[in-house]
Amino acid sequence: MPSRYQGPKAEIDALSAYIKLMRAAESVTTRAHAVLPKDITISQFGVLEVLLHCGPLCQTELAGKLLKSGGNITLIVDNLEKAGHVVRERSREDRRFVTVSLTDSGRAFITGLFPKVAASITRELSALSSAEQFTLGWLCKKAGTGASAPAA
Amino acid sequence: MPSRYQGPKAEIDALSAYIKLMRAAESVTTRAHAVLPKDITISQFGVLEVLLHCGPLCQTELAGKLLKSGGNITLIVDNLEKAGHVVRERSREDRRFVTVSLTDSGRAFITGLFPKVAASITRELSALSSAEQFTLGWLCKKAGTGASAPAA
DNA sequence: CCCTATTGATTTGACATTAAAGCAATAGCC
DNA sequence: GGCTATTGCTTTAATGTCAAATCAATAGGG
């Protein structure tokens, strides 16, 4: 952000850090996910990855883990279901819940893909030493649980 | 540059830092922009802010500063134009260019709004000291210009 | 056993986002 | 001048995103 704005020093420091935070997040995400095949989106990858590492979940749980809205998950799961990567199943104990599970082909797909993305993220962050990555994570965590963050 | 195998520890460190980076970016952005009136979006705010601090720009320049696609800018400017915040004007020297400028009401709008958002971002990052904010910015900049970043 | 509140999912409407295709205007080359 | 390439913008198709409204099922209070 080309700030010609001249405010208090605290504000300039915060805005400067914020802009770099945003640019880094966008930049690393875009480049790290460039290894994804063209027929899958970042959001779809996110859902498959959570299902692989957490097992079958209902849509509200997916929304919580991915920090997305419920309506959003409905659409993403729709598209993953069309592609044959996941299946929906109504819970018999409480018919409000829809359990989303990986199909065999979906599991094979994400199992083959995840290591590539993990390696890609590692490569993108390789400009930072291990200690620097730790510091970055620590500062981000502190920043993300700041002033008006919901209590953990 | 041949990429060397870095081992599982390097991967865990990088993924851990990456997840915290993404969560911090989402979290701070969402909360910092909660002060925006509901009739304006974050992207629209971004365009108005750049126009305020840089003066009238053509759409390609806007796209470059905001790191968005050209088609995207077309839509955002469409909506800002409907709201009366900006005007489009064909350049007379080169009729391919469309200069986007703030209207009087648009200028008043963003002039009143920007300090609120700046204060909000400052508040959200107040969990970090000035030195920590500087370190965060430095690490983010280093991370964002990593392995496959385009040459500046 | 009702009435109501809550909860999980879906739908709808509006905006964002990109890639790709298309259009219009300019620039370059012969 | 005229052909071609480039450049800036718009459009289109597909997906994502949220908020709000809606629907279905369950839970609780009386």
Side-chain angles (χ1 to χ4, degrees):
Chain A
M1 184 152 30
S3 300
R4 206 170 295 168
Y5 174 67
Q6 306 274 336
K9 178 177 181 304
E11 212 158 75
I12 293 175
D13 289 349
L15 290 182
S16 171
Y18 173 71
I19 291 158
K20 295 188 178 77
L21 174 69
M22 292 296 113
R23 296 235 167 184
E26 281 175 41
S27 170
V28 175
T29 293
T30 300
R31 287 171 5 228
H33 290 80
V35 299
L36 290 182
K38 229 186 297 291
D39 58 352
I40 190 133
T41 68
I42 293 181
S43 294
Q44 291 173 359
F45 173 82
V47 169
L48 293 179
E49 191 270 329
V50 168
L51 291 179
L52 177 65
H53 291 128
C54 300
L57 294 174
C58 75
Q59 298 191 180
T60 300
E61 291 171 315
L62 279 174
K65 296 216 178 278
L66 296 165
L67 303 179
K68 304 295 175 187
S69 71
N72 195 356
I73 298 296
T74 293
L75 177 63
I76 298 171
V77 171
D78 278 353
N79 289 326
L80 286 173
E81 202 172 30
K82 279 181 209 156
H85 291 318
V86 304
V87 286
R88 278 184 168 100
E89 190 186 2
R90 283 266 165 204
S91 166
R92 251 175 287 282
E93 302 98 54
D94 187 334
R95 295 182 44 73
R96 286 172 300 183
F97 287 74
V98 172
T99 301
V100 182
S101 319
L102 289 171
T103 61
D104 286 346
S105 81
R107 176 175 299 275
F109 181 75
I110 186 62
T111 300
L113 197 51
F114 180 73
K116 292 190 180 69
V117 175
S120 181
I121 292 172
T122 304
R123 178 164 29 82
E124 290 304 328
L125 287 186
S126 64
L128 302 185
S129 71
S130 176
E132 287 172 332
Q133 288 178 11
F134 182 82
T135 302
L136 175 63
W138 178 71
L139 291 173
C140 283
K141 184 157 184 153
K142 209 168 163 185
T145 54
S148 47
Chain B
M1 184 178 0
S3 64
R4 64 188 193 283
Y5 177 68
Q6 298 182 298
K9 178 180 183 304
E11 210 158 79
I12 292 174
D13 288 349
L15 290 182
S16 170
Y18 174 71
I19 290 169
K20 294 188 178 75
L21 174 68
M22 297 315 298
R23 295 238 167 184
E26 284 176 38
S27 170
V28 175
T29 293
T30 301
R31 283 161 19 219
H33 290 80
V35 299
L36 290 181
K38 57 185 177 309
D39 58 353
I40 190 137
T41 68
I42 293 180
S43 294
Q44 291 173 0
F45 173 82
V47 169
L48 293 179
E49 192 271 330
V50 169
L51 291 178
L52 178 64
H53 291 131
C54 299
L57 294 174
C58 75
Q59 298 191 180
T60 300
E61 292 171 315
L62 280 173
K65 295 212 180 283
L66 296 166
L67 303 180
K68 305 294 176 186
S69 70
N72 193 355
I73 297 297
T74 294
L75 177 63
I76 298 171
V77 171
D78 279 353
N79 289 327
L80 285 174
E81 201 172 30
K82 278 181 210 158
H85 291 318
V86 304
V87 285
R88 279 184 168 99
E89 191 185 3
R90 285 264 166 205
S91 166
R92 253 173 288 279
E93 303 97 54
D94 187 335
R95 294 183 44 73
R96 288 172 299 183
F97 287 74
V98 171
T99 301
V100 182
S101 319
L102 289 171
T103 61
D104 286 347
S105 82
R107 175 175 300 276
F109 180 74
I110 187 62
T111 299
L113 196 50
F114 179 74
K116 292 190 179 69
V117 175
S120 181
I121 292 171
T122 303
R123 178 163 29 83
E124 289 304 326
L125 288 187
S126 63
L128 303 184
S129 70
S130 175
E132 286 173 331
Q133 289 177 9
F134 182 81
T135 301
L136 174 63
W138 179 69
L139 291 173
C140 283
K141 184 155 187 158
K142 209 168 163 187
T145 53
S148 46

